[in-house]
């Protein structure tokens, strides 16, 4: 009996070792391996991001003062910037990089692909106060903060959308770039899916007082299942709508819509 | 007592053995695809096709038309189209779907990406046998449409889909990069375009175009914005500059050779021209076409597949009409170090097929993939941009010859710059090259571009870009893209966590050994007491 027991144990041990040592050469295991590698990289980057964030924060206290919005607006493109602001919208997280809209009482910021772990990204709810350290950049007219790190700080502020309908045709509009804004009584001129069908951005042309403006439902910002995505998809040319969104820029004003309300004809 | 314990132990072991046997079986079997004797046309198949378009509605329409025509020929095959505008997104989605066994059937992709997909066993179908099958292969007897034979595919383009000893894709479209030039400005600056662009010429003209007055107004365009040279794809820029100088990048074994002196020289040139205000990139500034069409760029380097966005009369344009200026556009091959031996990259979409349990489903995918090489699809799709068809059959057709001969007849279908971009590639096929494909080649490509982006940004930010900077840059890029090992594909493979079943087995085995030892001690103590 003992011999049989020992034999079975030895057999199982050998098989178990062989199984553990098997290379990741079947699809399931490979998938797992890929994910695992990613997780490891993420963890490393997370740690780096956290360390950087902490280190940056310490350095900032010693070297760089937090800028007011006025100082930020006056800073040259490519210069280092440090700002305190409140998250107003999250556009995306991927590969330990987060893209968010932030705002304070004086102005707004688009923070593009700042170092951010997935765990920290979850903490960035609307109103969360953050200190951001990065560089000011401009891409097709959109002023943004790039190569940034951040830390969550004390405070909370949720911005009310600013009504910029009357400023649409004016040069003053750019002073509100990246703010949460509202547009009242706009007429739908055209609706086009980027790919001709749902599943990607929706390009919306809205007009006011005879002038047309390009709006966009950015799928990463809203998601395909969101109310705004569905509602915009159901609009028809000639509909009158109130919309809200972030005052993004791409070769001119190109608001990224976050909500839309169809008005009675 | 003794018998009871032994029985319990045996039962435990038997149970463990069963668990082990089940766990070894795995959740899903993957098996090599074998061509069935016959494609069953009575069987219904539903296949998915993940396709990429260049934010070009005509391309989307062509995909829909091709599917409709194919489904008419094979009513038992339903093709479900999913559209992308970004190769990177397709790659990420495929990687995610490999682990859940929900890959598409047919997918437009790059060979670099296929190398990563292939790290899973039997995930991507090798096409050699399918291509050579007399019944259903290329030009096969039982194929219901005019499929090209293997010899009717441009050999160079077909070879680009061969790696690790087999064909893992078919080419769908091919393009290269072109330099779209504001010829009016070049001449205004006192230069004449040479027969073949050189890097020296481009940098010299760019630096002259970067001159501005004390108010920040550029002499050449009278505007406050001028980026004389903008490169869309900096990974291509680095790869081609290295190739043109015969310097190392990588080899087919996955050895990373990019961190060499030539690379540093290239980066120094980039730094010097960035400092002079002569150079920027798409990632830092924006699309080259936007600046070119606004008269804010002299040399815009982008894919020939972006030709419809280039020039004063471009049919596609993202800037407002009032910003567009009138100028003469020249379309030339990218700048060279040795004009006598020009070198340029070959790129463009290829199509791969993912393996499925049902060989019939794979056959349905193969038939559809072949359909994408018919003249009907090749001619219509290639004419949407500065692509060229991948089959000799399409290239030599009267319809295509007629299309090429009518450049400039309108600013849509016969858009001059688009057709000139296609001709550029047709005239230079023998001067094109591709980089070695291996698991990790996509990361190396990213690293190549990132070095140029980082140097450009650092110079713009007035950081100190010196020898120490380059050393640190190499280290950072190696670490970020995991290029530390000498050979990527042959490097140490991280196998990840042990599977749950293996961990459970080890725990059980340890527990059983503990029980045995405990029993032995108990037995010994019992004997001693006696």
């Amino acid at each position: 009996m003992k011999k049989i027991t020992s034999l079975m144990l030895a057999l199982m041990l050998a098989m178990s070792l062989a199984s553990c040592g098997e290379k990741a050469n079947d699809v399931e295991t490979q998938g797992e391996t890929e994910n695992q590698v990613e997780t490891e990289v993420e963890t490393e980057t997370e740690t780096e991001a956290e360390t950087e964030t902490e280190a940056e924060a310490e350095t900032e206290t010693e070297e760089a003062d937090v800028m007011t919005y006025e100082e930020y607006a006056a800073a040259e493109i490519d210069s280092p910037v440090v700002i305190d602001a409140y998250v107003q919208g999250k556009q995306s997280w991927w590969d330990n990089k987060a893209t968010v809209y932030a705002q304070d009482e004086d102005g707004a910021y688009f923070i593009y692909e700042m170092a951010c772990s997935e765990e920290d990204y979850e903490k960035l709810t609307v109103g969360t106060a953050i200190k951001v350290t990065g560089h000011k950049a401009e891409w097709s007219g959109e002023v943004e903060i790039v190569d940034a790190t951040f830390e969550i700080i004390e405070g909370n502020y949720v911005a009310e959308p600013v009504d910029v309908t009357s400023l649409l045709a004016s040069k003053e509009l750019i002073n509100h770039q990246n703010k949460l804004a509202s547009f009242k009584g706009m007429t739908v001129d055209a609706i086009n899916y980027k790919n001709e069908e749902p599943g990607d951005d929706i390009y919306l042309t809205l007009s006011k007082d005879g002038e047309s403006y390009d709006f966009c439902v950015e799928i990463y910002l809203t998601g395909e299942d969101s109310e705004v995505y569905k509602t915009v998809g159901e609009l028809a040319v000639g509909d009158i709508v109130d919309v809200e969104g972030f005052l993004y820029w791409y070769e001119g004003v190109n608001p990224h819509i976050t909500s839309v309300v169809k008005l009675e004809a | 007592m003794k018998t009871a314990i032994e029985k319990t132990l045996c039962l435990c072991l038997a149970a463990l053995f069963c668990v082990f046997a089940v766990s070894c079986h795995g959740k899903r079997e993957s098996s090599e695809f074998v061509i069935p004797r016959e494609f069953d046309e009575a069987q219904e198949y539903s296949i998915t096709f993940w396709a990429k378009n260049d934010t070009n509605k005509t391309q989307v329409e062509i995909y829909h038309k091709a599917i409709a025509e194919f489904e008419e020929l094979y009513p038992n095959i339903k093709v479900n189209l999913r559209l992308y505008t970004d190769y990177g997104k397709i790659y990420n989605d495929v990687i995610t779907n490999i682990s859940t066994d929900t890959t598409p059937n047919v997918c437009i992709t790059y060979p670099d990406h296929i190398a990563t997909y292939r790290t899973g066993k039997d995930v991507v179908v090798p096409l050699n046998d399918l291509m050579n099958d007399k019944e259903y292969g290329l030009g096969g007897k039982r194929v219901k449409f005019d499929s090209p034979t293997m010899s009717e595919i441009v050999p160079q383009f077909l070879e680009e889909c061969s790696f690790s000893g087999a064909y893992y894709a078919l080419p769908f479209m091919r393009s290269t990069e072109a330099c779209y030039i504001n010829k009016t400005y070049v001449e205004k600056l006192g230069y004449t375009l040479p027969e073949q662009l050189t890097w020296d010429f481009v940098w010299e003209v760019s630096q002259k175009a970067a001159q501005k007055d004390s108010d920040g107004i550029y002499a050449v365009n009278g505007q406050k914005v001028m980026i004389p040279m903008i490169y869309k794809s900096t990974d291509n820029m680095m790869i081609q500059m290295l190739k043109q100088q015969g310097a190392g990048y990588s080899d087919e074994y996955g050895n990373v050779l990019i961190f060499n002196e030539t690379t540093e020289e290239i980066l120094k040139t980039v730094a010097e021209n960035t400092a002079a205000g002569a150079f920027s990139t798409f990632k830092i500034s924006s699309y080259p076409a936007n600046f070119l069409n606004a008269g804010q760029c002299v040399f815009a380097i982008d894919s020939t597949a972006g030709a419809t966005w280039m020039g004063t009369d471009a049919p596609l344009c993202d800037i407002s009409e009032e910003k567009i200026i009138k100028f003469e556009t020249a379309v030339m091959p990218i700048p060279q170090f040795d004009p006598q031996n020009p070198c340029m990259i070959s790129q463009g979409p290829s199509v791969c097929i993912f393996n499925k349990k049902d060989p019939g489903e794979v056959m349905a995918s193969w038939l559809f993939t072949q359909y994408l090489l018919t003249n009907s699809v090749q001619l219509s799709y290639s004419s949407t941009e500065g692509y060229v068809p991948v089959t000799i059959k399409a290239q030599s057709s009267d319809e295509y010859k007629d299309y090429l001969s009518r450049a400039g007849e309108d600013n849509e279908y016969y858009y001059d710059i688009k057709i000139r971009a296609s001709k550029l590639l047709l005239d230079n096929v023998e001067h094109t090259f591709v980089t070695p494909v291996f698991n990790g080649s996509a990361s190396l490509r990213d690293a190549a571009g990132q070095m140029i982006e980082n140097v450009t940004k650092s110079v713009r930010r007035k950081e100190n870009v010196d020898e120490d900077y380059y050393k640190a840059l190499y280290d950072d890029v190696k670490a970020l893209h995991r290029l530390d090992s000498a050979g990527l594909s042959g490097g140490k493979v991280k196998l990840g966590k042990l599977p749950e079943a293996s961990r459970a087995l080890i725990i059980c085995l340890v527990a059983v050994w503990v029980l045995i030892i405990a029993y032995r001690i108990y037995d010994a103590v019992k004997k001693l007491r006696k």
Side-chain angles (χ1 to χ4, degrees):
Chain A
M1 187 66 208
K2 281 176 188 168
K3 280 181 185 171
I4 296 168
T5 311
S6 302
L7 259 171
M8 283 185 75
L9 277 168
L11 182 67
M12 284 186 62
L13 189 67
M15 287 174 79
S16 169
L17 283 173
S19 147
C20 293
E22 193 179 338
K23 256 196 151 187
N25 61 357
D26 117 331
V27 180
E28 288 289 341
T29 319
Q30 178 56 33
E32 215 169 304
T33 308
E34 284 286 346
N35 291 340
Q36 180 58 22
V37 171
E38 275 176 25
T39 313
E40 281 174 27
V41 175
E42 278 165 24
T43 316
E44 283 168 21
T45 321
E46 267 169 41
T47 320
E48 279 169 25
E50 278 164 20
T51 317
E52 269 179 41
T53 312
E54 283 162 21
E56 287 284 347
E58 280 169 24
T59 319
E60 279 160 33
T61 328
E62 291 165 10
E63 292 173 8
D65 290 332
V66 175
M67 299 166 128
T68 61
Y69 181 78
E70 199 179 10
E71 288 167 335
Y72 168 79
E76 280 186 22
I77 297 298
D78 294 318
S79 63
V81 290
V82 183
I83 56 119
D84 284 353
Y86 305 86
V87 174
Q88 303 301 318
K90 297 200 288 184
Q91 179 159 307
S92 64
W93 179 90
W94 176 251
D95 197 19
N96 285 301
K97 290 173 203 151
T99 296
V100 301
Y101 285 96
Q103 196 167 328
D104 59 23
E105 287 85 348
D106 302 316
Y109 312 87
F110 183 62
I111 307 156
Y112 182 72
E113 293 194 341
M114 67 179 174
C116 177
S117 67
E118 192 168 15
E119 189 189 355
D120 282 347
Y121 188 65
E122 293 307 313
K123 294 176 193 164
L124 297 179
T125 51
V126 172
T128 305
I130 51 173
K131 173 181 280 185
V132 181
T133 304
H135 282 83
K136 190 173 171 181
E138 184 182 345
W139 199 88
S140 269
E142 171 69 9
V143 176
E144 55 196 20
I145 300 175
V146 299
D147 298 328
T149 55
F150 79 101
E151 62 174 312
I152 294 172
I153 55 175
E154 283 293 311
N156 197 284
Y157 166 72
V158 179
E160 281 298 314
V162 53
D163 187 346
V164 293
T165 318
S166 61
L167 301 178
L168 267 169
S170 83
K171 286 184 178 174
E172 200 193 318
L173 184 66
I174 200 162
N175 298 332
H176 297 277
Q177 193 180 73
N178 298 325
K179 278 185 186 172
L180 184 62
S182 64
F183 310 83
K184 310 281 188 191
M186 307 292 292
T187 305
V188 176
D189 283 356
I191 310 153
N192 291 298
Y193 287 101
K194 185 177 179 181
N195 267 332
E196 297 288 285
E197 58 191 34
D200 212 320
D201 298 348
I202 309 176
Y203 300 140
L204 191 63
T205 310
L206 303 177
S207 64
K208 185 78 180 173
D209 303 327
E211 290 290 324
S212 290
Y213 306 93
D214 294 327
F215 288 66
C216 175
V217 182
E218 160 73 53
I219 198 163
Y220 289 132
L221 178 66
T222 63
E224 193 179 344
D225 299 325
S226 64
E227 195 61 39
V228 62
Y229 194 91
K230 287 177 193 163
T231 311
V232 169
E234 288 162 5
L235 290 175
V237 171
D239 284 347
I240 309 292
V241 291
D242 284 350
V243 300
E244 280 180 16
F246 293 103
L247 210 52
Y248 184 80
W249 232 256
Y250 175 68
E251 300 296 341
V253 66
N254 184 219
H256 285 182
I257 302 171
T258 53
S259 86
V260 61
V261 177
K262 186 179 160 187
L263 305 177
E264 293 299 320
Chain B
M1 176 70 189
K2 190 177 171 181
T3 321
I5 290 174
E6 280 178 348
K7 276 182 182 170
T8 314
L9 257 175
C10 270
L11 267 171
C12 284
L13 285 169
L16 268 171
F17 193 81
C18 291
V19 169
F20 180 76
V22 170
S23 77
C24 282
H25 186 64
K27 287 178 195 166
R28 186 172 65 80
E29 282 182 42
S30 62
S31 54
E32 197 179 333
F33 167 72
V34 179
I35 303 175
R37 281 189 183 174
E38 185 122 2
F39 175 62
D40 185 358
E41 291 191 39
Q43 173 78 40
E44 298 283 324
Y45 294 104
S46 179
I47 62 170
T48 50
F49 172 39
W50 289 7
K52 192 254 178 192
N53 72 87
D54 307 304
T55 323
N56 184 319
K57 288 175 187 176
T58 315
Q59 291 172 350
V60 175
E61 286 162 14
I62 290 165
Y63 283 134
H64 283 297
K65 185 168 171 276
I67 289 168
E69 287 169 354
F70 177 76
E71 286 177 345
E72 204 168 305
L73 291 165
Y74 292 93
N76 64 321
I77 305 174
K78 166 96 179 95
V79 181
N80 303 292
L81 177 67
R82 181 168 168 184
L83 290 160
Y84 288 84
T85 50
D86 182 348
Y87 287 108
K89 183 83 169 65
I90 297 181
Y91 174 72
N92 291 334
D93 281 4
V94 169
I95 291 294
T96 308
N97 282 272
I98 284 175
S99 57
T100 53
D101 193 23
T102 48
T103 52
N105 294 86
V106 180
C107 185
I108 287 210
T109 191
Y110 276 157
D112 275 335
H113 294 168
I114 298 172
T116 310
Y117 308 154
R118 277 197 62 247
T119 50
K121 193 185 172 194
D122 296 326
V123 171
V124 184
V125 178
L127 302 178
N128 298 50
D129 291 345
L130 282 167
M131 286 158 72
N132 292 314
D133 188 83
K134 285 182 180 155
E135 305 293 315
Y136 297 104
L138 290 165
K141 284 183 240 166
R142 298 178 73 176
V143 176
K144 290 182 174 176
F145 47 85
D146 192 12
S147 154
T149 62
M150 200 156 156
S151 61
E152 283 174 327
I153 301 175
V154 176
Q156 194 152 352
F157 298 159
L158 185 60
E159 275 318 298
E160 291 166 13
C161 298
S162 167
F163 43 91
S164 306
Y167 291 101
Y168 284 99
L170 286 181
F172 174 52
M173 287 288 135
R174 280 297 175 267
S175 62
T176 185
E177 283 188 333
C179 190
Y180 303 92
I181 307 162
N182 184 324
K183 192 180 171 194
T184 311
Y185 282 175
V186 171
E187 289 171 356
K188 191 176 173 184
L189 289 162
Y191 294 91
T192 304
L193 283 173
E195 213 164 284
Q196 183 77 269
L197 277 185
T198 63
W199 285 104
D200 285 345
F201 177 83
V202 165
W203 294 131
E204 187 182 326
V205 177
S206 295
Q207 289 196 18
K208 193 159 182 191
Q211 290 172 1
K212 54 183 172 182
D213 65 20
S214 55
D215 294 329
I217 305 292
Y218 290 89
V220 70
N221 65 354
Q223 298 187 44
K224 282 201 164 181
V225 179
M226 164 53 72
I227 306 174
M229 180 183 172
I230 307 179
Y231 217 112
K232 170 79 186 302
S233 164
T234 43
D235 40 6
N236 274 346
M237 180 182 179
M238 176 61 85
I239 289 165
Q240 291 173 114
M241 288 178 95
L242 287 170
K243 179 77 174 178
Q244 289 173 5
Q245 296 178 90
Y249 171 70
S250 70
D251 61 24
E252 67 268 36
Y253 306 109
N255 291 308
V256 175
L257 310 171
I258 195 173
F259 301 105
N260 57 53
E261 284 178 8
T262 312
T263 298
E264 194 171 321
E265 287 307 312
I266 292 167
L267 294 174
K268 282 176 180 168
T269 307
V270 165
E272 181 195 326
N273 284 282
T274 305
F279 175 76
S280 190
T281 72
F282 156 73
K283 282 187 181 167
I284 292 169
S285 298
S286 187
Y287 290 97
N290 291 351
F291 287 93
L292 184 78
N293 297 350
Q296 297 169 341
C297 172
V298 184
F299 302 102
I301 303 187
D302 203 333
S303 171
T304 55
T308 54
W309 298 85
M310 300 289 179
T312 298
D313 301 311
L316 298 174
C317 191
D318 270 349
I319 63 172
S320 56
E321 253 180 58
E322 64 269 18
K323 282 187 183 170
I324 298 172
I325 61 139
K326 288 272 171 201
F327 63 94
E328 186 183 346
T329 311
V331 184
M332 296 184 76
I334 58 158
Q336 302 290 323
F337 283 100
D338 177 4
Q340 304 307 313
N341 297 293
C343 255
M344 61 202 74
I345 202 140
S346 172
Q347 57 186 13
S350 296
V351 194
C352 72
I353 297 173
F354 286 95
N355 198 10
K356 300 290 167 188
K357 284 176 195 160
D358 179 357
E361 193 178 327
V362 177
M363 284 301 286
S365 306
W366 165 244
L367 289 168
F368 178 68
T369 300
Q370 274 193 81
Y371 191 76
L372 296 174
L373 297 192
T374 55
N375 274 13
S376 156
V377 179
Q378 286 289 307
L379 293 173
S380 55
Y381 200 96
S382 63
S383 63
T384 60
E385 271 297 351
Y387 284 120
V388 303
V390 297
T391 65
I392 296 163
K393 194 173 186 158
Q395 283 185 14
S396 58
S397 68
D398 290 342
E399 190 182 339
Y400 192 59
K401 285 177 188 162
D402 176 64
Y403 165 73
L404 292 178
S405 71
R406 297 172 67 178
E409 280 192 12
D410 63 32
N411 286 327
E412 295 289 336
Y413 188 69
Y414 296 113
Y415 183 50
D416 180 38
I417 289 166
K418 176 186 68 169
I419 294 179
R420 279 197 273 158
S422 297
K423 282 182 181 169
L424 185 158
L425 176 54
L426 290 167
D427 294 343
N428 284 283
V429 171
E430 75 275 22
H431 298 132
T432 62
F433 71 97
V434 290
T435 51
V437 173
F438 50 86
N439 181 19
S441 54
S443 295
L444 178 58
R445 170 172 266 278
D446 290 344
Q450 196 187 339
M451 286 194 280
I452 290 179
E453 300 289 348
N454 281 17
V455 166
T456 309
K457 275 197 264 192
S458 291
V459 172
R460 288 167 65 99
R461 291 171 187 173
K462 300 182 172 54
E463 290 167 9
N464 196 17
V465 179
D466 55 13
E467 295 299 327
D468 289 342
Y469 175 92
Y470 292 116
K471 190 177 176 303
L473 175 68
Y474 279 11
D475 290 343
D476 289 349
V477 168
K478 278 179 195 169
L480 187 65
H481 296 280
R482 304 197 293 280
L483 305 175
D484 298 87
S485 53
L488 273 174
S489 57
K492 189 180 171 187
V493 180
K494 288 182 181 177
L495 294 174
K497 285 179 187 172
L498 278 176
E500 287 299 326
S502 301
R503 270 186 284 179
L505 260 176
I506 289 169
I507 291 165
C508 290
L509 279 171
V510 170
V512 169
W513 278 108
V514 168
L515 278 173
I516 290 170
I517 292 164
Y519 170 73
R520 298 288 298 183
I521 293 168
Y522 165 79
D523 203 31
V525 170
K526 206 171 158 188
K527 276 177 188 168
L528 273 175
R529 280 186 184 164
K530 276 181 185 173

